[in-house]
Amino acid sequence: MLYTPPPTDPKAPPVRINLLSDTQTKPTAGMRDAMARAEVGDEQVGDDPTVNALCERVAELLGKEAAVYMPSGTMCNVTATLVHCRPGDEILAHETAHIIAREGGAHAAIGGFQVTQLRGPDGQFTPETFRKALHPRTRYQPPQTVVSVEQTANIGGGTIWKKAALDEIVAIAKQHGLVTHMDGARLLNATVASGISPRDMTAGWDSAWIDFSKGLGAPIGGVLAGSRAFIDAVWQWKQRLGGSMRQAGICAAACIYALDHHVGRLADDHANARALARGLSQISGIEVQEPETNLVFFRPDGAGISGDKMVAALRQRGVTLAMMDGRIRACTHLDVNAAQVEEAIGYVREIVRGA
């Protein structure tokens, strides 16, 4: 099997410390209660009041005219480019961006778009790199239609795009007639860590979205926002790609609960990530990237053990992490506490001593 997720190994020890991803979060008791009590309708005809309330709230939060609830962040990205672009158009994004590395080639397969990969450290390209990648509009080259950024930059280490750089990219894009799109998979991690409001962070960006199934702890969904005309066009593509989610208010209630209870606490995840990075960096031979949010990337090679072997050894101790872009990624979230972080550090130290 190439694409189907493999079944869980029944012989593997139970996972006690899940640092694999913030998508691993489970709905809290309060969130489950909110879901059970949610008022619902049929999203297909626009009469699910909880979905409508969520979309209105996210539109207001991001300073946009309208929003639409989607099953996933990937659908937010794909439907956005399907509206913004036409077959043969060119999208500009960092070479490690989710739309390139993690969406199965959907933008090419479904839309017929090509994505130009821009280079830069920590998952980000500079405004100057973006400017240099632009070319005159001629019939010999694809129309450059969209510039996209991922906030935070996942493979870059969960780094935060600075507001000044975002504003400059917007200005360059508008000068050259490009649309701006922000992949907001961990947007609220960025706003909590930086102290910049979501509205200010997304100012000037034609489309932006929030993922609720990562650090915010909801079981499903993202909300894509933009102008009323843009969201109206997104609805057509949502229909083409699968239609509505019917009584989706049950899931939307989890997202509203997350906005009410789980945004400020993202700072706890950031603090746990810093503690994890600090502890790992004190182990001889471990190379750690200093985290800006809730992602910690590190290499154990200098300690005499490969990343793959370290991940496997930790899994046997009930700790799960991921290999990503040649490094180990640990992700802190609401189901990982400070004591578990210290326990995971201890296991890494133990494995290194035995290497």
Side-chain angles (χ1 to χ4, degrees):
M1 302 290 285
L2 292 176
Y3 306 120
T4 305
T8 301
D9 182 358
K11 297 180 181 179
V15 175
R16 296 182 300 99
I17 305 174
N18 195 329
L19 294 166
L20 184 71
S21 175
D22 39 14
T23 62
Q24 301 286 299
T25 55
K26 303 292 194 298
T28 62
M31 181 178 285
R32 289 176 185 268
D33 182 60
M35 295 171 72
R37 294 184 292 102
E39 186 178 356
V40 300
D42 188 347
E43 187 203 24
Q44 178 77 21
V45 296
D47 73 351
D48 188 306
T50 308
V51 170
N52 293 343
L54 172 64
C55 292
E56 290 168 7
R57 185 159 173 183
V58 172
E60 174 65 24
L61 184 69
L62 300 184
K64 309 303 179 188
E65 293 179 347
V68 58
Y69 187 36
M70 292 289 199
S72 72
T74 293
M75 278 191 70
C76 290
N77 279 336
V78 172
T79 55
T81 60
L82 287 168
V83 171
H84 290 319
C85 302
R86 295 295 176 265
D89 283 2
E90 180 181 342
I91 302 166
L92 295 95
H94 191 270
E95 61 184 348
T96 63
H98 200 275
I99 64 170
I100 297 172
R102 293 292 186 271
E103 295 181 2
H107 305 270
I110 301 172
F113 317 135
Q114 64 183 57
V115 186
T116 293
Q117 302 182 22
L118 304 181
R119 293 184 175 181
D122 300 330
Q124 302 181 28
F125 55 86
T126 66
E128 187 57 29
T129 296
F130 170 44
R131 189 191 302 275
K132 289 180 178 179
L134 297 173
H135 56 67
R137 291 185 179 266
T138 76
R139 69 178 186 271
Y140 301 107
Q141 294 177 292
Q144 294 178 310
T145 306
V146 174
V147 59
S148 177
V149 301
E150 182 184 339
Q151 183 73 301
T152 61
N154 174 15
I155 297 178
T159 58
I160 301 168
W161 286 78
K162 301 301 184 283
K163 172 65 173 167
L166 293 175
D167 289 347
E168 191 172 351
I169 290 168
V170 166
I172 295 168
K174 299 310 177 187
Q175 180 185 355
H176 292 271
L178 276 73
V179 173
T180 54
H181 173 69
M182 182 179 289
D183 172 339
R186 295 181 175 88
L187 172 60
L188 295 190
N189 287 93
T191 62
V192 167
S194 66
I196 298 171
S197 73
R199 176 183 287 256
D200 288 343
M201 189 71 82
T202 60
W205 292 83
D206 296 302
S207 54
W209 58 274
I210 295 174
D211 194 317
F212 285 92
S213 66
K214 291 189 171 69
L216 294 178
I220 188 173
V223 177
L224 173 63
S227 69
R228 292 193 188 281
F230 167 74
I231 294 300
D232 188 58
V234 167
W235 262 103
Q236 183 180 39
W237 275 111
K238 181 178 179 180
Q239 187 68 31
R240 289 169 171 169
L241 296 175
S244 70
M245 295 185 284
R246 303 302 181 186
Q247 288 72 41
I250 293 173
C251 296
C255 300
I256 293 174
Y257 183 91
L259 289 174
D260 289 338
H261 299 279
H262 291 172
V263 176
R265 66 145 312 282
L266 291 172
D268 297 338
D269 300 337
H270 302 163
N272 284 335
R274 290 192 297 272
L276 177 59
R278 185 167 55 251
L280 292 172
S281 67
Q282 292 170 356
I283 301 172
S284 179
I286 302 287
E287 177 188 335
V288 187
Q289 180 178 348
E290 183 66 26
E292 295 183 12
T293 50
N294 68 320
L295 304 180
V296 180
F297 281 76
F298 66 100
R299 298 180 191 272
D301 305 72
I305 183 169
S306 70
D308 288 331
K309 289 184 177 179
M310 173 65 76
V311 169
L314 285 168
R315 182 65 188 85
Q316 290 304 307
R317 290 162 172 79
V319 182
T320 181
L321 308 91
M323 285 297 297
M324 192 169 291
D325 197 38
R327 298 182 292 171
I328 300 175
R329 190 192 77 169
C331 183
T332 56
H333 50 77
L334 63 83
D335 288 340
V336 175
N337 58 40
Q340 290 174 315
V341 166
E342 292 304 316
E343 185 177 355
I345 294 168
Y347 287 138
V348 173
R349 186 177 292 110
E350 173 187 300
I351 293 165
V352 168
R353 285 174 179 166

